[in-house]
Amino acid sequence: MSKVSIVECKTYELEEVKRAIEIAMGKADFPDISGKKVLLKPNILSDAAPEKCVTTHPVVLKAVIQLVRERGAGEILVGDSPALQNGGFKPKISQLNQICEEEGVEWVDFTIKPISKKLPIANHKVAMARIIDDVDLSISLPKFKTHEFMYMTGAMKNMFGLMPSVRKSAQHVRHPSRSSFARMICGISSVAKVEFAIMDAVMGMEGPGPGNGYPRAVNKIIAGKNPLAVDIAQATMMGYDPMKMPVIKCALENQIMEISSVDQVEYPLISAKDVIIKDFQRIGNNQPSDLDDHESEHLQRPAPQFDDDKCIYCKKCINICPAKALTFEEEKVCIDETKCIRCYCCHEVCPVSAISIPH
Ligand code: SF4
Ligand code: SF4
C-alpha cells in the first residue's frame, strides 16, 4: 500500500501552507533526509505569474524548503528547465527564483553538461540534468493541472523537466502516441530518484491546461512517498478514471512504482473519492477513450487551431514545434496538418491563448 495525504489548505499564507504540508508529510511517511542532498523539482512550464496557476506557487516552494531544512537536509537544491529557455534561465516571473534567494538555496541550471541516461520501459537513452546523479533524492512539486496531451500533469510527468530545455520536444517525435509518451515518462520517473511528492492543489488549473487553462480553487495539498499514488489521487479528484490516464496505466502495468493497482493507495486523512470535483473541466470534459492504447492514435486526434486575432506574433509556437509543422506566412501562423503530430507543445507555450484544441 502507498499512503497519500490530502490536507485542506485554503490560502497561500505561508503558515497555513506550511502547516498543511507538515501534516501531509507526517501522515504519509516522509523519508529520513538528515544529512542528504535533496533536489526540489517545481513545475515551471513556461515561467508565468503565480496567479495564472501554471507554475508551482512560490509559497509552496518556500514552505517545502523550510520544512526540508528543519528535517535536517544536508543540502537543498531547486531546478527545472522549461522547453523554450536556454542556459542561464532563472524563474523570475513565477517568483520561484526570488524564493531561492530568500531561502539561500541554489537554483540549478539543468542545461549545463547534461548526462545520458538509459530509460527503462522506453528502452532508449535521453539527455538528463547532471544533478540527478549528484543528489541523494528528489522531491517532485507538481501543480494540480489538466494537460491537453496527457489529460493531466502530475508528480511523475513533472520529472520530464529533468530533460534540459528544448531537448524535450524531440521526445514528442519519438513518442507521438499517448501510450508511447507514457512509457517515456515512466522511464524518467524510474531514474529520477523521487522519494516524495508534494502537489500544489491550493489553486489548480482546469480546462485547456497546462499553460492556458483556468484557475480553479481546489484548496488542498496532496502528498505521498509514491508519485504514482499522488497522481492516482489527482486523477480521482479531477473525475477521471485513473486507469485511463496513460502514465498511471503504464506505471501500474509495469509495476515500476511498487503498486500494481489503484486500490493499493491508502488515504490516512481525506479519501480522494470523497473530494471529487464534480464540475471539474477535464480535457474534452469526457473520459479518455480506449483509442489511447493504439500506437497511431495521435493521427486520430484534432490538430490545433490558431486565432489570428489573438496572436501577437511571438513565434514561440514555431520555435517549439518538434515536427516543423508551423510557418509564419503573410503575418500569420500556418499549420501543415500532414506534418503535425498533435503533441500540443505549441498550445502549451502560447502566451495569449491564441491556440486551441477542438474537442
Ligand atoms: S503544430 Fe503544434 S501540435 Fe502540431 S506538431 Fe507542432 S507543436 Fe505539435
Ligand atoms: S505562440 Fe501564440 S501568440 Fe505566439 S506566434 Fe504562436 S499563436 Fe501567435
Side-chain angles (χ1 to χ4, degrees):
M1 297 294 280
S2 284
K3 289 181 189 169
V4 173
S5 299
I6 301 177
V7 182
E8 288 285 339
C9 184
K10 291 191 165 59
T11 74
Y12 282 117
E13 293 294 325
L14 179 61
E15 286 315 309
E16 183 179 2
V17 172
K18 207 170 159 184
R19 179 200 59 84
I21 294 175
E22 191 161 27
I23 292 169
M25 284 172 154
K27 291 287 183 184
D29 302 332
F30 188 76
D32 178 5
I33 57 166
S34 41
K36 292 188 176 169
K37 195 166 182 175
V38 181
L39 174 67
L40 304 180
K41 165 63 180 73
N43 184 343
I44 294 178
L45 188 73
S46 54
D47 194 22
E51 62 272 17
K52 292 200 166 178
C53 297
V54 171
T55 60
T56 307
H57 197 277
V59 171
V60 171
L61 178 65
K62 191 176 187 76
V64 173
I65 291 171
Q66 292 183 0
L67 287 164
V68 167
R69 184 180 287 131
E70 286 166 19
R71 287 174 183 243
E75 189 175 351
I76 304 168
L77 305 149
V78 181
D80 193 10
S81 184
L84 285 179
Q85 302 289 352
N86 295 320
F89 162 76
K90 293 199 169 171
K92 293 183 180 151
I93 304 169
S94 57
Q95 298 173 20
L96 294 167
N97 185 60
Q98 183 187 322
I99 297 298
C100 292
E101 288 177 355
E102 285 171 11
E103 294 297 320
V105 300
E106 184 185 343
W107 170 261
V108 187
D109 188 336
F110 287 179
T111 66
I112 296 172
K113 294 185 183 170
I115 51 171
S116 176
K117 280 265 180 206
K118 176 98 183 270
L119 298 184
I121 319 292
N123 210 23
H124 61 77
K125 289 183 176 175
V126 296
M128 202 172 266
R130 177 165 291 271
I131 193 71
I132 202 63
D133 269 358
D134 196 31
V135 294
D136 295 305
L137 68 135
S138 56
I139 298 178
S140 180
L141 303 177
K143 185 83 170 169
F144 187 101
K145 282 196 299 184
T146 48
H147 194 283
E148 285 281 5
F149 177 37
M150 298 303 279
Y151 302 112
M152 61 174 216
T153 56
M156 291 178 68
K157 189 176 175 303
N158 181 39
M159 302 315 285
F160 188 34
L162 284 173
M163 209 177 288
S165 189
V166 81
R167 288 174 191 246
K168 284 187 275 296
S169 292
Q171 297 307 320
H172 285 283
V173 177
R174 193 171 205 162
H175 300 285
S177 72
R178 286 175 168 130
S179 54
S180 175
F181 196 79
R183 286 198 296 277
M184 189 269 301
I185 295 295
C186 286
I188 288 181
S189 293
S190 302
V191 298
K193 296 183 178 173
V194 180
E195 292 197 15
F196 207 79
I198 301 165
M199 181 175 284
D200 170 11
V202 181
M203 288 296 298
M205 177 184 282
E206 63 181 356
N212 286 290
Y214 318 120
R216 171 80 195 231
V218 180
N219 301 325
K220 305 282 185 296
I221 290 291
I222 307 169
K225 276 175 86 167
N226 185 336
L228 169 59
V230 170
D231 287 353
I232 289 170
Q234 176 188 231
T236 304
M237 289 172 63
M238 285 180 168
Y240 286 120
D241 173 354
M243 275 308 284
K244 293 218 168 156
M245 297 293 99
V247 172
I248 292 174
K249 185 168 184 277
C250 179
L252 290 173
E253 286 177 352
N254 287 283
Q255 297 188 26
I256 56 164
M257 296 278 164
E258 295 173 15
I259 57 173
S260 58
S261 152
V262 295
D263 299 329
Q264 291 174 318
V265 182
E266 183 186 337
Y267 297 100
L269 297 165
I270 301 168
S271 167
K273 284 185 181 161
D274 290 339
V275 282
I276 294 171
I277 307 165
K278 294 207 169 57
D279 60 347
F280 190 79
Q281 292 185 51
R282 298 185 292 275
I283 296 303
N285 242 349
N286 283 309
Q287 290 297 339
S289 88
D290 294 333
L291 192 71
D292 289 351
D293 284 339
H294 296 280
E295 289 299 321
S296 58
E297 120 334 281
H298 60 288
L299 300 175
Q300 315 290 323
R301 293 203 301 267
Q305 292 182 344
F306 294 76
D307 184 335
D308 300 338
D309 292 333
K310 285 187 181 170
C311 179
I312 56 168
Y313 317 119
C314 70
K315 298 189 183 174
K316 285 185 175 179
C317 54
I318 296 171
N319 292 337
I320 203 168
C321 178
K324 309 284 175 234
L326 301 177
T327 50
F328 200 60
E329 293 168 28
E330 296 177 2
E331 300 201 343
K332 63 179 187 179
V333 179
C334 298
I335 179 168
D336 181 342
E337 291 193 11
T338 63
K339 288 185 180 172
C340 173
I341 56 171
R342 280 71 169 161
C343 65
Y344 307 145
C345 290
C346 51
H347 169 268
E348 269 185 36
V349 298
C350 180
V352 291
S353 302
I355 304 174
S356 59
I357 313 300
H359 290 289

